[in-house]
Amino acid sequence: MSLIVSPDSKDLSWLCLISLLLLLLLLLRTSEVVTASGQAGSNGNMTYPALFTFGDSILDTGNNNNLRTLSKCNYPPYGKDFPGAIPTGRFSDGKVLSDLITEGLGIKELLPAYLDPNLQNVDLPTGVCFASGGSGLDPQTGGGVLTMEDQLKQFNEYVGKLNAFVGAKNASTILNNSLYLLSAGNNDIALTYLTAHLRPMPFPAYADFLVNSTATFIRNLYALGARKFALLGALPLGCLPSARATVGGILCAELANQDAQLFNGKLSSVSSLLSSELVDSRIAYINVYDPLLNLIQNPNQFGFRVPNVGCCPVLTLLCNPLNPVTCPNIPDYVFWDGAHPSEKAYRTIAPTIVQACLNM
């Protein structure tokens, strides 16, 4: 014979209380995951709920790893200074600007690549990286990498996933209040125009083409809910180790620097025009040319010793995968390979970018 004991009213009260506490904990956890508006970050500043990055290798955190392209770096010695010394596909010895900016804004420590097979839904509300090393504004730039059109399509796909995860209302709030960071034009100028000569036209006309492409890309992001944009200017391309090598290895290639500056002037102008055109938008041009050039020209002032060559042995631009031996002291070097700054160099210029983003 079974004995059935009915719970008394006191037992029921305790069960109800426990259930209520569990429900409150669940709601609190959900509010932490779904950050629907700007909040105080770990640096104490009111910041953005998420960061989304687009463009080239300055921002790429690993999107090229599984693409059929030579523009990838998921092999040693890349990642030598990354946590766990893992080559994640970042074009550096460690973290890149996407990571340092999202950390500086108080959002999270690392910005995951959208194509990372380990990406989780919980990562979506605080932002991801769509940038692809070797990409550019010109469809002829890159080989097998994600074009800007590809990156836009993936962002559109992301919006659908975000809606499904947090709901349309929360997703809209996140998209409207987040920061959209773009770095594009470097590969177009240095490779497509100056090296491969794929666009036989005067450079001012090519720069107009690139800037108009940028404006179209921003308008398309705006149509998907983006409102706050930071546009990084081109680097001092003539002072990259690969460019110096074309003129003897000592001096910078001045033509490349002049073209980068002309492009930057046009990009700055179009950012102002777009701010007036797109209602409720905030669009800032951020000068990275001068801070990096200052670092290159005055390395000792910033704790560097070698500004003209990369730390790793290179095959044209990237580290040689067959020779993972690097320089003995990475912090001495402004550049990691033939085209990309070291993590220390990125860390030197990142605060200027972060502050500009906070001032928008």
Side-chain angles (χ1 to χ4, degrees):
M1 182 177 68
S2 61
L3 179 64
I4 301 176
V5 180
S6 300
D8 58 25
S9 59
K10 188 174 182 180
D11 292 330
L12 288 173
S13 298
W14 275 108
L15 286 173
C16 290
L17 180 60
I18 292 171
S19 298
L20 181 60
L21 287 173
L22 289 174
L23 179 60
L24 287 172
L25 286 172
L26 179 61
L27 289 172
L28 285 172
R29 175 58 181 159
T30 302
S31 68
E32 290 173 0
V33 172
V34 182
T35 310
S37 61
Q39 62 179 18
S42 60
N43 58 5
N45 291 308
M46 291 303 293
T47 186
Y48 307 92
L51 174 68
F52 302 100
T53 58
F54 303 85
D56 55 31
S57 56
I58 300 301
L59 300 176
D60 186 2
T61 58
N63 282 311
N64 284 11
N65 287 355
N66 295 313
L67 301 182
R68 298 184 65 178
T69 177
L70 295 177
S71 183
K72 63 174 66 178
C73 54
N74 54 342
Y75 57 85
Y78 287 97
K80 189 170 184 177
D81 291 324
F82 194 80
I86 301 170
T88 60
R90 289 166 169 83
F91 290 76
S92 179
D93 57 304
K95 296 179 180 180
V96 295
L97 282 179
S98 288
D99 303 309
L100 300 177
I101 293 169
T102 197
E103 181 181 29
L105 292 173
I107 299 173
K108 53 187 174 185
E109 183 180 358
L110 299 172
L111 193 68
Y114 181 65
L115 295 185
D116 184 345
N118 297 314
L119 186 72
Q120 303 293 319
N121 282 340
V122 71
D123 298 316
L124 301 180
T126 49
V128 291
C129 168
F130 297 92
S132 176
S135 186
L137 297 158
D138 187 336
Q140 294 196 43
T141 298
V145 301
L146 301 175
T147 65
M148 299 306 292
E149 183 179 357
D150 292 331
Q151 294 177 40
L152 185 67
K153 288 178 180 177
Q154 290 184 352
F155 179 71
N156 194 20
E157 178 184 85
Y158 160 87
V159 171
K161 292 181 179 180
L162 184 66
N163 278 320
F165 183 55
V166 304
K169 183 178 180 180
N170 285 331
S172 179
T173 305
I174 291 171
L175 295 172
N176 290 167
N177 289 283
S178 295
L179 179 64
Y180 298 78
L181 183 68
L182 173 67
S183 169
N186 293 301
N187 294 317
D188 303 301
I189 299 169
L191 302 179
T192 303
Y193 188 83
L194 291 175
T195 303
H197 306 292
L198 296 178
R199 293 291 188 179
M201 64 177 72
F203 184 75
Y206 187 60
D208 285 336
F209 165 70
L210 297 179
V211 166
N212 289 335
S213 298
T214 300
T216 298
F217 187 78
I218 296 303
R219 292 186 185 102
N220 287 332
L221 285 178
Y222 179 88
L224 292 171
R227 293 294 180 269
K228 301 175 177 67
F229 306 90
L231 312 182
L232 300 184
L235 307 178
L237 299 172
C239 295
L240 304 184
S242 56
R244 285 182 189 259
T246 66
V247 293
I250 303 300
L251 301 176
C252 296
E254 285 307 314
L255 178 59
N257 279 352
Q258 291 170 13
D259 287 348
Q261 287 176 300
L262 190 148
F263 167 78
N264 287 343
K266 291 178 180 291
L267 183 64
S268 177
S269 296
V270 82
S271 68
S272 298
L273 293 173
L274 285 169
S275 294
S276 301
E277 172 191 330
L278 302 176
V279 179
D280 294 329
S281 70
R282 282 188 276 166
I283 304 173
Y285 163 77
I286 299 181
N287 176 11
V288 292
Y289 182 102
D290 289 323
L292 183 56
L293 184 63
N294 186 32
L295 192 159
I296 293 168
Q297 293 177 336
N298 304 284
N300 294 336
Q301 181 180 335
F302 299 95
F304 296 92
R305 296 180 60 192
V306 185
N308 62 322
V309 297
C311 173
C312 72
V314 300
L315 288 175
T316 309
L317 295 177
L318 303 180
C319 298
N320 186 346
L322 301 179
N323 185 7
V325 178
T326 64
C327 60
N329 192 24
I330 298 174
D332 284 345
Y333 286 70
V334 173
F335 290 96
W336 168 244
D337 57 18
H340 304 99
S342 63
E343 179 183 333
K344 181 183 173 183
Y346 280 136
R347 284 192 178 278
T348 304
I349 65 174
T352 300
I353 301 172
V354 170
Q355 193 57 53
C357 293
L358 291 171
N359 290 341
M360 287 175 58

